[in-house]
Amino acid sequence: MKRLILRRGREKSLKQHHPWIFSGAIERLEGSPAPGETVAVADVHGEFLALAAYSPASQIRARVWSFDDEPIDTGFLRRRLAQAWSARGSLLPPGTSAFRWVHGESDGLPGLVIDVYDQTLVIQVLSAGAEYWRDAIVEAATVISGRSGVFERSDADVRALEGLSARVGGLSGHPESFPLIEERGLRFRVDIKAGQKTGFYLDQRDNRQRIGELARDLDVLNGFCYTGGFSLSALRGGARSVLSIDSSRPALDAAQENMRLNALDEGKAEWMEADVFAALRRLRDQGRTFGLIVLDPPKFAPTAHHAEKAARAYKDINLFGLKLLKPGGLLATFSCSGGVGRELFQKIVAGAALDAGIDAQIVGRFSAAADHPVALNFPEGDYLKGVLVRRMD
Ligand code: SAH
Protein backbone atom coordinates (compact mmCIF):
# COMPACT_ATOMS: atom_id res chain seq x y z
CA MET A 1 0.00 0.00 0.00
CA LYS A 2 1.07 3.58 -0.65
CA ARG A 3 2.44 5.15 2.49
CA LEU A 4 2.91 8.51 4.17
CA ILE A 5 5.90 8.56 6.46
CA LEU A 6 5.83 11.22 9.17
CA ARG A 7 8.77 13.20 10.43
CA ARG A 8 10.36 12.21 13.68
CA GLY A 9 8.16 13.23 16.62
CA ARG A 10 5.25 14.31 14.39
CA GLU A 11 3.15 11.23 15.20
CA LYS A 12 2.08 12.74 18.53
CA SER A 13 -1.27 14.21 17.46
CA LEU A 14 -2.15 11.02 15.59
CA LYS A 15 -1.47 8.98 18.71
CA GLN A 16 -4.03 11.24 20.40
CA HIS A 17 -6.39 10.34 17.55
CA HIS A 18 -6.54 13.77 16.00
CA PRO A 19 -7.61 13.06 12.42
CA TRP A 20 -5.55 15.64 10.47
CA ILE A 21 -2.06 15.27 9.04
CA PHE A 22 -0.57 18.60 8.00
CA SER A 23 1.87 18.85 5.09
CA GLY A 24 4.65 20.02 7.42
CA ALA A 25 4.52 16.77 9.40
CA ILE A 26 5.34 14.61 6.39
CA GLU A 27 8.81 13.16 5.81
CA ARG A 28 8.00 11.44 2.51
CA LEU A 29 5.34 9.80 0.39
CA GLU A 30 5.89 6.28 -0.94
CA GLY A 31 4.03 5.66 -4.22
CA SER A 32 1.79 8.13 -6.00
CA PRO A 33 -1.75 7.98 -4.63
CA ALA A 34 -4.58 9.67 -6.52
CA PRO A 35 -6.40 12.51 -4.72
CA GLY A 36 -8.58 10.92 -2.04
CA GLU A 37 -6.99 7.49 -2.28
CA THR A 38 -6.32 5.68 0.98
CA VAL A 39 -2.75 5.64 2.24
CA ALA A 40 -1.18 4.02 5.27
CA VAL A 41 0.41 6.49 7.68
CA ALA A 42 3.53 5.41 9.54
CA ASP A 43 6.04 6.98 11.87
CA VAL A 44 9.67 7.45 10.94
CA HIS A 45 10.43 3.85 12.01
CA GLY A 46 7.71 2.51 9.73
CA GLU A 47 5.30 1.70 12.57
CA PHE A 48 1.63 1.80 11.46
CA LEU A 49 -0.40 4.73 12.79
CA ALA A 50 -3.54 5.10 10.69
CA LEU A 51 -5.28 4.82 7.34
CA ALA A 52 -6.03 8.17 5.76
CA ALA A 53 -7.33 9.84 2.62
CA TYR A 54 -4.56 11.58 0.71
CA SER A 55 -5.21 15.16 -0.41
CA PRO A 56 -2.30 16.53 -2.47
CA ALA A 57 -3.62 20.10 -2.82
CA SER A 58 -4.44 20.73 0.82
CA GLN A 59 -2.39 21.89 3.80
CA ILE A 60 -4.30 19.13 5.56
CA ARG A 61 -2.49 16.57 3.43
CA ALA A 62 -4.39 13.57 4.76
CA ARG A 63 -7.46 12.91 6.93
CA VAL A 64 -7.71 9.75 8.95
CA TRP A 65 -10.42 7.22 8.22
CA SER A 66 -9.28 4.72 10.83
CA PHE A 67 -6.63 4.22 13.48
CA ASP A 68 -7.05 0.47 13.03
CA ASP A 69 -5.60 -1.54 10.18
CA GLU A 70 -8.92 -2.41 8.54
CA PRO A 71 -10.03 -2.24 4.90
CA ILE A 72 -11.35 1.18 3.89
CA ASP A 73 -14.11 0.18 1.51
CA THR A 74 -17.86 0.46 1.03
CA GLY A 75 -18.46 -1.80 4.03
CA PHE A 76 -16.40 0.51 6.24
CA LEU A 77 -18.30 3.59 5.04
CA ARG A 78 -21.63 1.82 5.52
CA ARG A 79 -20.71 0.99 9.12
CA ARG A 80 -19.71 4.56 9.94
CA LEU A 81 -22.88 5.94 8.34
CA ALA A 82 -25.03 3.42 10.19
CA GLN A 83 -23.38 4.29 13.52
CA ALA A 84 -24.10 7.98 13.05
CA TRP A 85 -27.66 7.20 11.96
CA SER A 86 -28.48 5.13 15.01
CA ALA A 87 -26.89 7.71 17.33
CA ARG A 88 -29.25 10.42 16.06
CA GLY A 89 -32.39 8.54 17.08
CA SER A 90 -32.10 9.32 20.77
CA LEU A 91 -30.69 12.83 20.29
CA LEU A 92 -33.64 14.50 18.60
CA PRO A 93 -36.54 16.23 20.33
CA PRO A 94 -40.13 15.34 19.48
CA GLY A 95 -41.78 17.04 16.51
CA THR A 96 -38.50 17.27 14.61
CA SER A 97 -38.00 15.96 11.07
CA ALA A 98 -34.71 17.63 10.15
CA PHE A 99 -31.31 16.87 11.58
CA ARG A 100 -27.61 16.53 10.82
CA TRP A 101 -26.94 12.88 10.19
CA VAL A 102 -23.22 13.13 9.51
CA HIS A 103 -21.03 15.83 11.07
CA GLY A 104 -17.68 15.19 9.39
CA GLU A 105 -14.63 14.41 11.49
CA SER A 106 -16.70 14.15 14.68
CA ASP A 107 -18.63 11.23 13.17
CA GLY A 108 -15.48 9.56 11.84
CA LEU A 109 -16.25 10.69 8.29
CA PRO A 110 -13.85 13.59 7.57
CA GLY A 111 -15.09 16.18 5.13
CA LEU A 112 -18.59 14.73 4.87
CA VAL A 113 -21.82 16.40 5.93
CA ILE A 114 -25.25 14.89 5.43
CA ASP A 115 -28.37 16.73 6.54
CA VAL A 116 -31.81 15.14 6.57
CA TYR A 117 -34.74 17.37 5.66
CA ASP A 118 -37.73 15.14 6.17
CA GLN A 119 -37.59 12.74 3.18
CA THR A 120 -34.72 14.56 1.44
CA LEU A 121 -30.99 14.16 2.00
CA VAL A 122 -28.55 17.01 1.35
CA ILE A 123 -24.89 16.06 1.13
CA GLN A 124 -21.79 18.24 1.33
CA VAL A 125 -18.53 16.75 0.16
CA LEU A 126 -15.70 18.88 1.53
CA SER A 127 -12.52 16.78 1.31
CA ALA A 128 -10.65 14.79 -1.31
CA GLY A 129 -11.33 11.58 0.61
CA ALA A 130 -15.09 12.10 0.78
CA GLU A 131 -15.00 13.04 -2.91
CA TYR A 132 -13.19 9.80 -3.81
CA TRP A 133 -15.93 7.74 -2.14
CA ARG A 134 -18.89 9.96 -3.06
CA ASP A 135 -20.86 7.43 -5.14
CA ALA A 136 -20.48 4.69 -2.53
CA ILE A 137 -21.52 7.12 0.22
CA VAL A 138 -24.64 8.22 -1.66
CA GLU A 139 -25.61 4.63 -2.37
CA ALA A 140 -25.16 3.59 1.28
CA ALA A 141 -26.93 6.73 2.52
CA THR A 142 -30.09 5.98 0.56
CA VAL A 143 -30.18 2.39 1.82
CA ILE A 144 -29.60 3.24 5.49
CA SER A 145 -31.99 6.21 5.57
CA GLY A 146 -34.69 4.67 3.39
CA ARG A 147 -34.75 7.95 1.45
CA SER A 148 -34.07 8.05 -2.28
CA GLY A 149 -33.83 11.78 -2.98
CA VAL A 150 -30.29 13.11 -2.55
CA PHE A 151 -29.15 16.62 -3.44
CA GLU A 152 -25.53 17.74 -3.41
CA ARG A 153 -24.49 21.16 -2.02
CA SER A 154 -20.74 20.91 -2.40
CA ASP A 155 -20.36 24.66 -2.84
CA ALA A 156 -18.67 25.61 0.44
CA ASP A 157 -15.51 27.72 0.12
CA VAL A 158 -13.39 25.11 1.89
CA ARG A 159 -13.58 22.85 -1.16
CA ALA A 160 -11.14 25.13 -2.95
CA LEU A 161 -8.56 24.37 -0.24
CA GLU A 162 -8.83 20.71 -1.22
CA GLY A 163 -8.37 21.52 -4.91
CA LEU A 164 -12.02 20.74 -5.59
CA SER A 165 -14.39 22.92 -7.58
CA ALA A 166 -17.95 23.65 -6.50
CA ARG A 167 -20.67 21.20 -7.45
CA VAL A 168 -24.42 21.51 -6.89
CA GLY A 169 -27.14 19.22 -8.18
CA GLY A 170 -29.32 16.15 -7.79
CA LEU A 171 -27.47 12.89 -7.09
CA SER A 172 -30.17 10.30 -6.66
CA GLY A 173 -33.95 9.97 -6.94
CA HIS A 174 -36.06 13.11 -7.11
CA PRO A 175 -35.07 15.31 -4.19
CA GLU A 176 -37.78 17.77 -3.18
CA SER A 177 -36.48 21.31 -3.89
CA PHE A 178 -38.33 22.87 -0.95
CA PRO A 179 -38.84 20.18 1.68
CA LEU A 180 -41.18 21.07 4.50
CA ILE A 181 -39.58 20.30 7.85
CA GLU A 182 -40.65 20.46 11.47
CA GLU A 183 -38.53 21.62 14.39
CA ARG A 184 -40.20 21.00 17.74
CA GLY A 185 -43.51 21.39 15.97
CA LEU A 186 -42.62 24.61 14.13
CA ARG A 187 -42.79 24.25 10.36
CA PHE A 188 -40.19 25.60 7.94
CA ARG A 189 -39.87 25.43 4.17
CA VAL A 190 -36.19 24.79 3.33
CA ASP A 191 -34.60 25.93 0.07
CA ILE A 192 -31.99 23.19 -0.36
CA LYS A 193 -30.80 24.47 -3.76
CA ALA A 194 -30.17 28.15 -3.08
CA GLY A 195 -30.44 28.47 0.71
CA GLN A 196 -27.39 29.03 2.88
CA LYS A 197 -25.25 26.04 3.88
CA THR A 198 -27.46 23.05 3.08
CA GLY A 199 -30.58 25.22 3.50
CA PHE A 200 -31.16 25.53 7.25
CA TYR A 201 -29.14 26.22 10.41
CA LEU A 202 -29.91 22.97 12.17
CA ASP A 203 -27.15 23.64 14.72
CA GLN A 204 -29.22 26.36 16.42
CA ARG A 205 -32.21 24.10 17.18
CA ASP A 206 -31.82 23.97 20.97
CA ASN A 207 -30.88 27.65 21.21
CA ARG A 208 -34.02 28.62 19.30
CA GLN A 209 -35.98 26.64 21.87
CA ARG A 210 -34.27 28.53 24.71
CA ILE A 211 -35.09 31.86 23.10
CA GLY A 212 -38.71 30.78 22.82
CA GLU A 213 -38.76 30.07 26.56
CA LEU A 214 -37.28 33.47 27.38
CA ALA A 215 -39.36 35.61 25.03
CA ARG A 216 -42.69 35.82 26.84
CA ASP A 217 -44.06 39.39 26.93
CA LEU A 218 -40.78 40.84 25.68
CA ASP A 219 -39.93 43.05 22.73
CA VAL A 220 -37.46 40.91 20.79
CA LEU A 221 -34.84 41.90 18.23
CA ASN A 222 -33.46 39.13 16.01
CA GLY A 223 -30.39 40.31 14.09
CA PHE A 224 -29.27 38.08 11.16
CA CYS A 225 -32.62 36.29 11.17
CA TYR A 226 -32.19 34.24 7.95
CA THR A 227 -35.42 32.25 7.43
CA GLY A 228 -36.83 33.21 10.80
CA GLY A 229 -35.77 30.40 13.12
CA PHE A 230 -35.31 32.46 16.28
CA SER A 231 -38.12 34.85 15.32
CA LEU A 232 -40.73 32.13 15.00
CA SER A 233 -39.63 30.51 18.22
CA ALA A 234 -39.94 33.87 20.03
CA LEU A 235 -43.40 34.48 18.53
CA ARG A 236 -44.57 31.05 19.61
CA GLY A 237 -43.09 31.69 23.05
CA GLY A 238 -45.37 34.69 23.53
CA ALA A 239 -43.13 37.63 22.63
CA ARG A 240 -44.87 41.01 22.64
CA SER A 241 -43.14 41.96 19.37
CA VAL A 242 -40.34 40.60 17.21
CA LEU A 243 -38.22 42.76 14.91
CA SER A 244 -36.17 40.61 12.53
CA ILE A 245 -33.32 41.95 10.42
CA ASP A 246 -31.40 40.36 7.55
CA SER A 247 -29.63 41.69 4.48
CA SER A 248 -30.98 38.90 2.27
CA ARG A 249 -34.33 39.53 0.57
CA PRO A 250 -34.88 35.83 -0.29
CA ALA A 251 -34.20 34.88 3.36
CA LEU A 252 -36.74 37.46 4.60
CA ASP A 253 -39.35 36.29 2.06
CA ALA A 254 -38.84 32.70 3.21
CA ALA A 255 -39.06 33.79 6.86
CA GLN A 256 -42.41 35.45 6.29
CA GLU A 257 -43.71 32.42 4.44
CA ASN A 258 -42.58 30.29 7.38
CA MET A 259 -44.43 32.58 9.77
CA ARG A 260 -47.63 32.04 7.78
CA LEU A 261 -47.08 28.25 7.74
CA ASN A 262 -47.32 28.30 11.52
CA ALA A 263 -50.34 30.54 11.93
CA LEU A 264 -48.46 32.86 14.27
CA ASP A 265 -49.64 36.38 15.07
CA GLU A 266 -48.28 38.31 12.07
CA GLY A 267 -49.20 41.60 13.67
CA LYS A 268 -46.42 41.13 16.23
CA ALA A 269 -43.72 40.62 13.61
CA GLU A 270 -41.74 43.31 11.84
CA TRP A 271 -39.27 42.33 9.07
CA MET A 272 -36.44 44.62 8.01
CA GLU A 273 -34.10 44.24 5.04
CA ALA A 274 -30.93 45.94 6.24
CA ASP A 275 -27.30 45.65 7.20
CA VAL A 276 -27.37 44.82 10.91
CA PHE A 277 -24.33 47.02 11.63
CA ALA A 278 -26.14 50.08 10.30
CA ALA A 279 -29.58 49.05 11.56
CA LEU A 280 -28.44 48.76 15.20
CA ARG A 281 -27.13 52.34 15.05
CA ARG A 282 -30.39 53.58 13.55
CA LEU A 283 -32.43 51.81 16.22
CA ARG A 284 -30.29 53.46 18.89
CA ASP A 285 -30.82 56.88 17.28
CA GLN A 286 -34.56 56.20 17.28
CA GLY A 287 -34.40 55.40 21.00
CA ARG A 288 -35.80 51.89 20.58
CA THR A 289 -35.07 49.31 23.28
CA PHE A 290 -35.62 45.57 23.62
CA GLY A 291 -36.02 43.01 26.38
CA LEU A 292 -34.34 40.22 24.38
CA ILE A 293 -31.85 40.49 21.54
CA VAL A 294 -30.45 37.65 19.42
CA LEU A 295 -27.34 38.23 17.32
CA ASP A 296 -26.35 35.25 15.17
CA PRO A 297 -24.09 36.65 12.46
CA PRO A 298 -22.39 34.69 9.68
CA LYS A 299 -18.90 33.30 10.12
CA PHE A 300 -16.71 36.41 10.34
CA ALA A 301 -13.54 34.33 10.90
CA PRO A 302 -13.36 31.03 9.03
CA THR A 303 -9.83 30.49 10.40
CA ALA A 304 -7.65 31.96 13.14
CA HIS A 305 -5.97 34.20 10.50
CA HIS A 306 -9.14 36.26 10.29
CA ALA A 307 -9.59 36.50 14.06
CA GLU A 308 -8.53 40.12 14.48
CA LYS A 309 -10.83 41.58 11.86
CA ALA A 310 -13.62 39.31 13.04
CA ALA A 311 -13.10 40.45 16.63
CA ARG A 312 -13.77 44.05 15.60
CA ALA A 313 -16.99 43.05 13.85
CA TYR A 314 -18.20 40.97 16.80
CA LYS A 315 -17.36 43.77 19.18
CA ASP A 316 -19.24 46.32 17.11
CA ILE A 317 -22.54 44.46 16.94
CA ASN A 318 -22.39 43.40 20.58
CA LEU A 319 -21.63 46.92 21.73
CA PHE A 320 -24.69 48.28 19.95
CA GLY A 321 -26.75 45.24 20.91
CA LEU A 322 -26.04 45.85 24.60
CA LYS A 323 -26.94 49.53 24.24
CA LEU A 324 -30.35 48.57 22.86
CA LEU A 325 -31.20 46.40 25.88
CA LYS A 326 -33.62 47.59 28.51
CA PRO A 327 -32.23 47.27 32.07
CA GLY A 328 -32.50 43.58 33.00
CA GLY A 329 -32.71 42.71 29.30
CA LEU A 330 -31.01 39.69 27.72
CA LEU A 331 -28.59 39.44 24.82
CA ALA A 332 -28.09 36.01 23.21
CA THR A 333 -24.97 36.47 21.15
CA PHE A 334 -23.32 33.85 18.95
CA SER A 335 -20.21 33.14 16.94
CA CYS A 336 -19.90 30.25 14.50
CA SER A 337 -16.33 31.19 13.57
CA GLY A 338 -13.88 28.33 13.89
CA GLY A 339 -11.15 30.96 14.25
CA VAL A 340 -12.69 32.53 17.37
CA GLY A 341 -12.70 30.26 20.41
CA ARG A 342 -15.07 30.41 23.38
CA GLU A 343 -12.63 32.23 25.58
CA LEU A 344 -11.82 34.87 22.98
CA PHE A 345 -15.50 35.36 22.17
CA GLN A 346 -16.31 35.97 25.84
CA LYS A 347 -13.47 38.50 25.99
CA ILE A 348 -14.83 40.30 22.94
CA VAL A 349 -18.29 40.55 24.50
CA ALA A 350 -16.75 41.75 27.77
CA GLY A 351 -14.85 44.43 25.83
CA ALA A 352 -18.04 45.50 24.11
CA ALA A 353 -19.84 45.90 27.45
CA LEU A 354 -16.95 47.88 28.86
CA ASP A 355 -16.92 50.25 25.88
CA ALA A 356 -20.69 50.57 26.03
CA GLY A 357 -20.43 51.49 29.72
CA ILE A 358 -22.82 48.68 30.63
CA ASP A 359 -22.56 46.25 33.55
CA ALA A 360 -23.59 42.79 32.48
CA GLN A 361 -23.35 39.19 33.60
CA ILE A 362 -23.34 35.84 31.82
CA VAL A 363 -26.46 33.87 32.68
CA GLY A 364 -26.22 31.12 30.07
CA ARG A 365 -24.04 29.48 27.45
CA PHE A 366 -24.82 28.05 24.06
CA SER A 367 -23.43 25.31 21.83
CA ALA A 368 -24.54 23.48 18.73
CA ALA A 369 -27.30 20.89 19.13
CA ALA A 370 -26.41 17.27 19.88
CA ASP A 371 -26.70 16.15 16.26
CA HIS A 372 -23.56 18.29 15.72
CA PRO A 373 -21.31 16.31 18.07
CA VAL A 374 -17.74 17.29 18.88
CA ALA A 375 -15.38 14.33 18.94
CA LEU A 376 -13.19 14.62 22.05
CA ASN A 377 -10.10 14.20 19.89
CA PHE A 378 -11.28 16.94 17.49
CA PRO A 379 -11.82 20.21 19.41
CA GLU A 380 -11.98 22.07 16.06
CA GLY A 381 -15.49 20.67 15.78
CA ASP A 382 -16.68 22.99 18.56
CA TYR A 383 -17.33 25.92 16.20
CA LEU A 384 -20.66 27.30 17.47
CA LYS A 385 -20.51 29.16 20.74
CA GLY A 386 -22.67 31.76 22.40
CA VAL A 387 -23.39 33.49 25.66
CA LEU A 388 -26.58 34.77 27.20
CA VAL A 389 -25.79 38.11 28.77
CA ARG A 390 -28.01 40.05 31.16
CA ARG A 391 -27.79 43.80 31.39
CA MET A 392 -27.67 44.70 35.07
CA ASP A 393 -28.27 48.45 35.22
N1 SAH B 1 -30.08 32.70 13.10
C1 SAH B 1 -30.37 32.14 11.80
C2 SAH B 1 -29.12 31.91 10.98
C3 SAH B 1 -28.30 33.15 10.70
S1 SAH B 1 -27.21 32.95 9.38
C4 SAH B 1 -31.18 30.87 11.99
O1 SAH B 1 -31.41 30.44 13.12
O2 SAH B 1 -31.60 30.30 10.99
C5 SAH B 1 -26.59 34.56 9.11
C6 SAH B 1 -27.52 35.48 8.36
O3 SAH B 1 -26.91 36.76 8.33
C7 SAH B 1 -27.79 35.15 6.91
O4 SAH B 1 -29.17 35.06 6.70
C8 SAH B 1 -27.24 36.34 6.09
O5 SAH B 1 -28.08 36.70 5.00
C9 SAH B 1 -27.25 37.42 7.12
N2 SAH B 1 -26.26 38.49 6.98
C10 SAH B 1 -24.96 38.41 6.69
N3 SAH B 1 -24.36 39.62 6.80
C11 SAH B 1 -25.33 40.49 7.18
C12 SAH B 1 -25.35 41.88 7.51
N4 SAH B 1 -24.23 42.61 7.46
N5 SAH B 1 -26.50 42.44 7.88
C13 SAH B 1 -27.64 41.69 7.93
N6 SAH B 1 -27.68 40.38 7.67
C14 SAH B 1 -26.54 39.78 7.30
Side-chain angles (χ1 to χ4, degrees):
M1 179 180 269
K2 294 154 190 172
R3 289 205 306 174
L4 267 188
I5 310 296
L6 299 191
R7 291 198 167 134
R8 187 177 302 281
R10 300 301 290 269
E11 68 282 357
K12 212 171 137 208
S13 74
L14 275 190
K15 289 211 156 145
Q16 293 165 352
H17 286 194
H18 191 282
W20 289 351
I21 299 154
F22 286 95
S23 58
I26 295 169
E27 172 79 28
R28 66 176 190 278
L29 175 67
E30 296 176 352
S32 38
E37 196 179 333
T38 305
V39 293
V41 186
D43 71 10
V44 76
H45 307 295
E47 192 195 323
F48 173 86
L49 294 165
L51 293 166
Y54 182 63
S55 182
S58 176
Q59 284 299 310
I60 305 172
R61 194 55 51 87
R63 294 181 198 230
V64 173
W65 288 122
S66 177
F67 293 97
D68 296 326
D69 200 355
E70 59 181 323
I72 305 303
D73 54 14
T74 54
F76 168 85
L77 296 166
R78 219 179 298 131
R79 284 195 301 281
R80 288 272 162 102
L81 287 167
Q83 273 164 13
W85 181 265
S86 61
R88 296 310 187 266
S90 59
L91 296 176
L92 293 176
T96 299
S97 67
F99 58 94
R100 177 150 296 191
W101 167 7
V102 177
H103 191 46
E105 274 75 350
S106 291
D107 278 308
L109 291 163
L112 180 67
V113 167
I114 306 179
D115 287 338
V116 178
Y117 294 115
D118 195 63
Q119 294 306 306
T120 304
L121 303 180
V122 182
I123 178 170
Q124 264 188 330
V125 177
L126 304 173
S127 67
E131 177 89 2
Y132 186 86
W133 291 101
R134 183 181 66 146
D135 294 349
I137 289 166
V138 169
E139 157 91 39
T142 57
V143 174
I144 293 167
S145 68
R147 288 154 170 85
S148 60
V150 185
F151 194 80
E152 178 172 23
R153 278 298 301 274
S154 297
D155 54 344
D157 297 342
V158 289
R159 260 178 79 93
L161 303 175
E162 293 278 313
L164 302 168
S165 53
R167 199 176 45 225
V168 173
L171 281 182
S172 150
H174 302 282
E176 166 93 53
S177 299
F178 297 95
L180 182 65
I181 63 153
E182 259 198 332
E183 179 179 279
R184 288 194 170 88
L186 278 178
R187 302 163 85 194
F188 295 88
R189 184 76 69 186
V190 178
D191 182 352
I192 62 165
K193 292 186 172 169
Q196 296 177 29
K197 299 221 285 188
T198 63
F200 198 66
Y201 288 85
L202 294 164
D203 51 359
Q204 288 284 23
R205 183 190 309 110
D206 293 349
N207 307 328
R208 289 191 279 260
Q209 163 85 347
R210 185 91 185 92
I211 291 303
E213 291 162 359
L214 293 167
R216 180 158 299 282
D217 297 330
L218 298 179
D219 294 311
V220 179
L221 168 63
N222 181 14
F224 310 93
C225 68
Y226 189 47
T227 55
F230 282 105
S231 308
L232 268 56
S233 200
L235 286 168
R236 181 169 68 173
R240 184 161 56 194
S241 70
V242 180
L243 168 60
S244 307
I245 308 174
D246 203 283
S247 55
S248 160
R249 187 71 250 166
L252 286 165
D253 290 343
Q256 287 170 80
E257 197 203 318
N258 288 332
M259 177 175 62
R260 289 188 281 273
L261 277 175
N262 290 281
L264 295 161
D265 187 346
E266 295 182 32
K268 291 183 175 169
E270 188 185 341
W271 304 93
M272 185 189 285
E273 182 182 347
D275 170 35
V276 167
F277 291 84
L280 295 178
R281 287 168 167 80
R282 273 202 308 277
L283 291 166
R284 178 207 51 188
D285 294 344
Q286 292 162 4
R288 284 187 67 172
T289 56
F290 300 87
L292 175 60
I293 298 178
V294 179
L295 295 175
D296 181 27
K299 201 164 29 183
F300 291 144
T303 72
H305 297 300
H306 308 80
E308 208 172 298
K309 190 159 166 246
R312 281 197 294 278
Y314 285 120
K315 185 167 176 184
D316 185 273
I317 53 172
N318 283 292
L319 193 155
F320 283 92
L322 286 161
K323 284 189 180 186
L324 291 173
L325 283 179
K326 298 185 206 300
L330 295 168
L331 169 66
T333 180
F334 296 93
S335 164
C336 59
S337 293
V340 174
R342 283 178 189 272
E343 208 177 324
L344 174 57
F345 186 58
Q346 188 172 315
K347 272 192 193 145
I348 293 169
V349 177
L354 196 64
D355 284 12
I358 285 168
D359 284 326
Q361 54 191 182
I362 292 178
V363 293
R365 291 173 191 281
F366 302 109
S367 299
D371 52 339
H372 298 61
V374 182
L376 282 171
N377 51 314
F378 187 64
E380 291 86 342
D382 191 22
Y383 65 100
L384 179 64
K385 72 275 317 174
V387 283
L388 182 65
V389 174
R390 180 178 172 276
R391 178 174 178 162
M392 295 167 75
D393 46 356

